[in-house]
Amino acid sequence: MAKCPLCGKPLDWGELIEQMLTLENAGEVFKDREKFVQTFEGFVFKCPHCGEEFYGRNLPEKEAEKVFELLNEFNGSIDWENKRVRLRLNSLLALDTMLEQWDKKVRG
């Protein structure tokens, strides 16, 4: 799971994505994978724990791509009017990782 590159505390993907929802073109960004990844890497996030700012490129890219998939897979995952994420992204990412590991073990 993503951790602040400065203080090391775990980050909530929902909170991170909500910071991105303030972008003027957020609707476009969250529809196009390439735009999302490019914007994510250059976006300046603020850690809710230490208050320091850091670029998205300092977070796990694989997790960010999974977050993009989850947000687009579930209708209504973003409340655009209130700029809120309705999904528990960290829980879904953990479940997805567990299922991937289980699949690897079963396939041998």
Side-chain angles (χ1 to χ4, degrees):
M1 288 288 134
K3 295 183 180 191
C4 174
L6 302 165
C7 70
K9 293 198 178 175
L11 297 171
D12 182 332
W13 276 101
E15 289 177 12
L16 294 175
I17 295 302
E18 286 176 0
Q19 289 181 38
M20 289 183 71
L21 293 178
T22 61
L23 290 169
E24 193 173 301
N25 62 341
E28 293 173 28
V29 169
F30 284 90
K31 289 180 184 173
D32 183 299
R33 178 187 215 91
E34 302 269 333
K35 256 187 202 178
F36 175 81
V37 170
Q38 185 178 27
T39 303
F40 179 83
E41 289 176 350
F43 191 82
V44 178
F45 292 97
K46 185 173 184 175
C47 176
H49 306 289
C50 67
E52 294 295 325
E53 294 181 339
F54 57 90
Y55 285 102
R57 64 178 160 258
N58 295 313
L59 297 174
E61 184 178 338
K62 184 178 178 185
E63 284 185 33
E65 289 176 357
K66 292 258 185 203
V67 165
F68 174 83
E69 290 174 15
L70 289 168
L71 290 171
N72 283 286
E73 196 170 313
F74 294 99
N75 288 335
S77 59
I78 297 175
D79 176 355
W80 291 102
E81 190 173 305
N82 296 312
K83 299 197 184 301
R84 306 294 277 164
V85 175
R86 293 181 175 153
L87 298 176
R88 296 205 177 270
L89 293 171
N90 283 20
S91 298
L92 290 171
L93 281 171
L95 179 61
D96 188 61
T97 301
M98 286 175 24
L99 290 173
E100 282 179 7
Q101 304 237 337
W102 174 259
D103 194 40
K104 286 179 187 175
K105 285 182 182 180
V106 169
R107 291 183 186 198

